[in-house]
Amino acid sequence: MTRTLFTRYSVNPHSGHQYGLRKLDPDADAELLHRWVTHPKAAFWMMRDADVDTVRREYRGIVEHPHRDAVIGTLDGEPAFLVERYDPAHVELAGLFPAVRGDVGMHFLCAPTDAPVHGFTRAVLGTILAWLFSDPEVDRVVVEPDVRNTAVHALNKAAGFEPVRIITKPEKEALLSVFTRARFETESQRSAEQDAVSHLTPEAWAEANRLLVRKALAEFAHERLITPEPAARPGSYTVRSDDGTVEYRFAARLLALDHWLIDADGITRHRGRGHEAELPLDAVDFCLEFSGSLGLSEPVLPVYLEEITATLAGRAYRLGKPHVGVRELVTSGFQAIETEMTEGHPCFVANSGRLGFGIDDYHAYAPETANPVRLLWLAAHRDQATFTGGEGIDYASFIRAELGEAVLARFADTLAGLGLSLTEYYLIPVHPWQWWNKLSVTFAGEVAARRLVCLGPGDDVYLAQQSVRTFFNVGSPAKHYVKTALSVVNMGFMRGLSAAYMVATPAINDWLADLVARDEILRSSGLSVIRERAAVGYRHRQYEAATDRYSPYRKMLAALWRESPVPGLAPGRRLATMASLVHTDRDGRSFAAALIEESGLAPEVWLRRYLNAYLIPLLHCFYAYDLAFMPHGENVILVLDGGTVERAIFKDIAEEIAVLDPAVTLPEAVRRIQVEVPERLRLLSIFTDVFDCFFRHLAAVLTAADVLDQRLFWRTVAEAVRDYQDRAPHLAAKFRRYDLFAPEFPLSCLNRLQLRDNRQMIDLADPTAALRFAGDLRNPLADLPDFPDVPGGFR
């Protein structure tokens, strides 16, 4: 194995894309180098006509030379650039430049590509300079690119190189430039600060605001917080600010379930007596202009504006990423799809607040940055920690399988060095942010007493999922997900984990998995659940004495392990988060439409396959077992056969399922999930969570793409429901009691919850107490002949 000489992470020291340098092997690397140096884009390398043997001889001569060497640069472990280093007093510039002690010369070449990534070359140059200056003997870096290579001159100038003069070499006229250590130290700090916010450009910010204002108009109108008025032109609408001084104009189609399908490009904002002056779109200003209509109280308003700003910043970052179109994305890997999602929750306007993250944390841990993370591990004394395993799970075997013998031995040695024994502790995986920002301070007494000991990172590499605090093991995909406590506020909740709640988690998961396995209809649908197999938590005696069971101070240190869907995947199948079905790329193309095209099925047939996999299990759990899920796009994984949905996998079980009937008899260990919900609200687990919060958006995406008319969409849903009811005649009384074909159902409003209290939207132990309603919605299953659809709107 070739030895790594140097590594550097982009953006911040905790995580990021890893740049590396390794020794060049003239034999092993010859073909790779030949492709690079003979490419037309490497014209200034002057090896266009060289064959592989010539390249091999050239680089053997360089690496064996006493005053020169060459290295291969890598990006996340893959070869990505070439660097040559030399002593200018002896080669290249000997006799042409008065080199002094501490000078080093350098050439570099990025791997030629037809799909360049913005900022990559600058990052490579920064890595090379960091490597060269890591040698304390180096005081100055010297370069001499061809005078005609204007692109490199611009790059060097931007990086901080100072031109000296033009010199004549045998092979070229060259611009001699130098970069000093003092300049490097200054520029490195400035570059890190600038790179961290490089995605916040005027263009990206304007587009992010346009997209978020569209969503605000659509979702706030849906929840009847604002009321668009028809304009003179068919399909056009206006809405005025609370004080009437600002007017928004837009084109829209009003679809079933009061869904506003708005043309983002056509939105304009106007001020003045006649609203003649056009203003730029600004989502923060929008919330201020409608703060009364939105019911934003003085305490909530600034926090909500911070969440809106953070959501905009996340959107701007996504807009700055290389564009991945849906046709490419549909055949990408599971985690590639996960990290490309742009919308978050389709209903919430402020859906990426992550209050508590700094910009360095954002780059390190936000799912869309796709940066690898190594979780930290704490040893938690068993007097105050609890580990609970599911059926067949014991702590010692489970942890050994997760960590491996070498890591366990390393952790044991760390404890032994403090006079402590690993057998007296449970090991808890911890989000790095949680350690640096919470536990190391808030739990300082526990650390001082060595009831908690930080053991450092494990070896496994993870990617954050859309839920932010859950991690997928990318190095060993068959291993468990890890869900950690994270004391940041995101979308209406502090994202902690309760140590007390964790105790029952494995039992609840085993109960549900057994229920699914025993039920014929659920089995035939292909439904599976990925169980939360083990959980661990630490209970802080003093904070527990000072707080009630809902306090965030009781949710700072816990974790659970969830099964991976990868081992159960049949050959030829692939995975995608269900959130992808409402994803559209930067060109407005639909991921779901691309899947339908790939499947070769008629759109309504494709939809029916999806409904059989997703909707039918939800209906059957509700009617047969009074069991409700939180089945939004992030909690469901789809198994795809080509572009066709074959089956669904439900996850995030213990915290987000509920048995809605208090009269149902449950095992003692599972009773925590039993909640009392008023009779009239129970079917909202389908009407709101499925129809309004997901199908409404999927129908709109397919309608906008001209793939599936909304009438046919809802007709297909109705047919799936009727076919299910025909298969389960023994539940006929339940079907009448909870009528899916009722003319209307209550409009339960998610944004109203967040606008009322964006730190704790609802009490999970009593989820219906805080619900906010805004009248009723016409049920599309009962309204098939006469959907609202304003003609003349945009297409």
Side-chain angles (χ1 to χ4, degrees):
M1 181 178 291
T2 306
R3 184 169 62 92
T4 299
L5 302 173
F6 182 81
T7 58
R8 176 177 182 257
Y9 286 96
S10 63
V11 180
N12 64 79
H14 299 302
S15 188
H17 288 295
Q18 187 185 63
Y19 293 81
L21 295 166
R22 63 167 175 79
K23 278 289 187 183
L24 185 151
D25 184 326
D27 294 317
D29 293 322
E31 291 189 3
L32 172 73
L33 293 171
H34 179 261
R35 289 197 300 273
W36 290 0
V37 300
T38 60
H39 192 281
K41 291 187 178 181
F44 291 108
W45 221 249
M46 295 180 289
M47 297 187 73
R48 180 73 184 273
D49 298 324
D51 58 20
V52 174
D53 287 337
T54 300
V55 171
R56 182 182 293 110
R57 288 194 300 271
E58 174 73 13
Y59 282 93
R60 182 176 293 118
I62 290 175
V63 299
E64 293 176 353
H65 197 282
H67 300 297
R68 304 180 71 174
D69 65 354
V71 298
I72 294 291
T74 60
L75 174 62
D76 295 333
E78 296 298 322
F81 56 99
L82 166 69
V83 188
E84 295 179 7
R85 178 174 58 173
Y86 63 89
D87 183 344
H90 295 87
V91 295
E92 294 282 3
L93 294 174
L96 299 174
F97 170 69
V100 297
R101 183 179 176 83
D103 280 353
V104 63
M106 178 269 291
H107 305 135
F108 80 98
L109 173 69
C110 290
T113 176
D114 294 326
V117 175
H118 177 70
F120 173 71
T121 306
R122 179 72 180 270
V124 165
L125 180 55
T127 300
I128 295 167
L129 291 171
W131 170 56
L132 295 173
F133 283 115
S134 68
D135 180 351
E137 299 296 319
V138 172
D139 290 323
R140 190 167 64 167
V141 176
V142 180
V143 295
E144 22 74 42
D146 194 302
V147 293
R148 298 167 296 174
N149 196 345
T150 55
V152 166
H153 299 323
L155 175 71
N156 288 344
K157 181 180 179 181
F161 277 89
E162 298 176 2
V164 176
R165 64 175 183 270
I166 293 176
I167 60 173
T168 302
K169 298 184 68 182
E171 73 280 9
K172 65 183 179 182
E173 293 285 304
L175 177 61
L176 183 70
S177 300
V178 298
F179 194 105
T180 65
R181 177 176 288 277
R183 184 67 178 265
F184 171 74
E185 291 171 352
T186 301
E187 291 294 325
S188 293
Q189 181 61 35
R190 184 173 66 86
S191 177
E193 294 162 350
Q194 292 177 343
D195 286 350
V197 293
S198 62
H199 58 290
L200 300 179
T201 64
E203 298 78 14
W205 195 249
E207 181 64 11
N209 273 279
R210 178 170 296 280
L211 295 170
L212 196 58
V213 166
R214 174 181 64 178
K215 186 172 187 180
L217 286 167
E219 292 305 307
F220 292 152
H222 172 71
E223 296 191 9
R224 300 168 186 175
L225 289 159
I226 61 175
T227 306
E229 298 291 340
R233 183 179 177 183
S236 296
Y237 296 85
T238 62
V239 62
R240 292 188 177 89
S241 61
D242 289 345
D243 64 7
T245 63
V246 178
E247 180 178 272
Y248 289 81
R249 302 170 187 168
F250 55 93
R253 296 175 65 188
L254 184 56
L255 305 181
L257 292 174
D258 287 0
H259 183 85
W260 291 82
L261 184 59
I262 296 175
D263 176 16
D265 293 336
I267 303 170
T268 57
R269 174 180 174 228
H270 305 268
R271 184 188 295 279
R273 180 171 298 176
H275 301 111
E276 63 278 356
E278 186 169 345
L279 302 173
L281 298 179
D282 187 302
V284 175
D285 278 346
F286 181 96
C287 294
L288 289 170
E289 291 159 357
F290 292 92
S291 61
S293 297
L294 300 180
L296 285 162
S297 65
E298 287 187 9
V300 172
L301 176 58
V303 182
Y304 190 74
L305 296 183
E306 185 179 358
E307 288 194 274
I308 288 289
T309 302
T311 300
L312 287 167
R315 173 68 80 163
Y317 179 88
R318 294 179 180 100
L319 289 168
K321 293 174 66 175
H323 181 216
V324 181
V326 294
R327 285 192 173 87
E328 176 184 350
L329 192 60
V330 292
T331 56
S332 299
F334 179 33
Q335 291 305 295
I337 295 171
E338 182 81 15
T339 59
E340 284 298 322
M341 295 299 93
T342 56
E343 186 50 52
H345 199 294
C347 294
F348 285 101
V349 176
N351 61 24
S352 300
R354 301 160 186 167
L355 302 185
F357 273 5
I359 189 62
D360 56 337
D361 304 314
Y362 175 82
H363 285 288
Y365 309 124
E368 60 268 20
T369 64
N371 281 324
V373 176
R374 282 185 166 85
L375 299 177
L376 295 177
W377 287 78
L378 299 189
H381 201 279
R382 296 191 181 202
D383 286 350
Q384 291 174 237
T386 303
F387 175 89
T388 310
E391 185 178 349
I393 299 290
D394 71 275
Y395 172 76
S397 300
F398 184 83
I399 288 296
R400 186 175 297 109
E402 281 296 300
L403 287 173
E405 296 288 356
V407 174
L408 271 179
R410 185 169 81 227
F411 289 169
D413 289 346
T414 299
L415 289 170
L418 299 172
L420 306 172
S421 171
L422 182 61
T423 59
E424 297 177 350
Y425 291 83
Y426 287 124
L427 298 180
I428 304 181
V430 173
H431 195 296
W433 186 95
Q434 192 76 354
W435 169 252
W436 289 106
N437 293 278
K438 286 294 179 182
L439 300 176
S440 59
V441 177
T442 309
F443 282 41
E446 308 303 285
V447 176
R450 292 182 176 160
R451 288 187 286 271
L452 290 177
V453 181
C454 184
L455 302 172
D459 288 351
D460 284 314
V461 178
Y462 296 88
L463 279 181
Q465 303 297 278
Q466 294 173 66
S467 59
V468 182
R469 58 179 169 164
T470 302
F471 294 91
F472 181 85
N473 193 321
V474 290
S476 301
K479 283 188 177 181
H480 292 80
Y481 286 90
V482 180
K483 186 174 183 178
T484 62
L486 184 62
S487 299
V488 301
V489 174
N490 191 48
M491 221 165 65
F493 289 102
M494 180 74 76
R495 297 291 162 172
L497 278 181
S498 166
Y501 250 53
M502 291 300 99
V503 173
T505 290
I508 292 169
N509 279 262
D510 286 344
W511 171 82
L512 179 60
D514 181 64
L515 183 152
V516 171
R518 287 185 290 104
D519 188 278
E520 180 184 352
I521 289 179
L522 295 179
R523 286 201 313 272
S524 67
S525 73
L527 175 70
S528 63
V529 296
I530 44 178
R531 292 173 294 174
E532 290 147 2
R533 297 291 283 141
V536 63
Y538 186 83
R539 304 181 74 160
H540 192 295
R541 176 182 57 80
Q542 294 158 322
Y543 289 128
E544 293 212 352
T547 62
D548 64 26
R549 65 192 179 103
Y550 304 112
S551 170
Y553 285 93
R554 295 190 180 201
K555 300 177 181 179
M556 289 189 181
L557 183 50
L560 60 82
W561 288 269
R562 178 187 300 140
E563 291 172 319
S564 167
V566 173
L569 206 59
R573 306 304 191 264
R574 62 181 194 266
L575 301 170
T577 173
M578 194 177 78
S580 63
L581 296 189
V582 295
H583 171 75
T584 55
D585 65 20
R586 213 168 294 168
D587 296 325
R589 296 189 177 95
S590 159
F591 184 94
L595 283 180
I596 293 170
E597 181 181 353
E598 183 192 2
S599 74
L601 299 173
E604 64 273 22
V605 175
W606 180 93
L607 177 62
R608 182 59 186 269
R609 300 275 183 89
Y610 160 66
L611 295 172
N612 290 344
Y614 169 67
L615 176 62
I616 301 310
L618 292 172
L619 296 180
H620 189 63
C621 285
F622 175 82
Y623 285 107
Y625 303 106
D626 298 285
L627 176 63
F629 294 80
M630 192 77 73
H632 56 70
E634 295 176 12
N635 275 356
V636 179
I637 299 169
L638 302 177
V639 176
L640 302 173
D641 180 6
T644 304
V645 178
E646 182 178 75
R647 60 187 180 90
I649 302 170
F650 290 177
K651 64 183 181 73
D652 216 355
I653 301 301
E655 286 193 294
E656 299 199 346
I657 66 169
V659 173
L660 306 181
D661 187 347
V664 172
T665 301
L666 294 175
E668 179 65 33
V670 178
R671 286 181 186 169
R672 189 190 79 199
I673 67 172
Q674 198 160 24
V675 296
E676 189 164 351
V677 175
E679 182 87 2
R680 66 185 181 85
L681 300 181
R682 291 182 186 176
L683 195 49
L684 292 186
S685 64
I686 303 297
F687 278 144
T688 297
D689 296 342
V690 181
F691 285 15
D692 192 34
C693 291
F694 198 79
F695 285 179
R696 171 168 66 91
H697 296 275
L698 178 57
V701 164
L702 295 176
T703 297
D706 287 328
V707 169
L708 188 66
D709 178 83
Q710 63 161 343
R711 293 170 177 80
L712 186 52
F713 180 97
W714 289 108
R715 186 175 295 116
T716 305
V717 174
E719 290 170 355
V721 172
R722 289 193 182 98
D723 286 350
Y724 160 66
Q725 292 180 344
D726 290 342
R727 290 180 62 197
H730 61 290
L731 296 172
K734 276 283 195 75
F735 298 149
R736 291 190 296 271
R737 182 176 172 186
Y738 303 110
D739 184 7
L740 273 172
F741 295 92
E744 297 177 326
F745 60 85
L747 169 56
S748 181
C749 302
L750 301 189
N751 283 285
R752 286 177 183 255
L753 294 174
Q754 190 178 15
L755 293 164
R756 178 188 62 84
D757 183 352
N758 52 356
R759 291 183 178 274
Q760 182 67 38
M761 290 196 304
I762 61 173
D763 175 4
L764 291 176
D766 187 8
T768 62
L771 294 182
R772 291 291 181 268
F773 299 100
D776 294 324
L777 286 172
R778 294 167 64 186
N779 181 1
L781 299 196
D783 204 21
L784 289 171
D786 187 29
F787 278 136
D789 188 350
V790 176
F794 84 100
R795 290 186 63 82

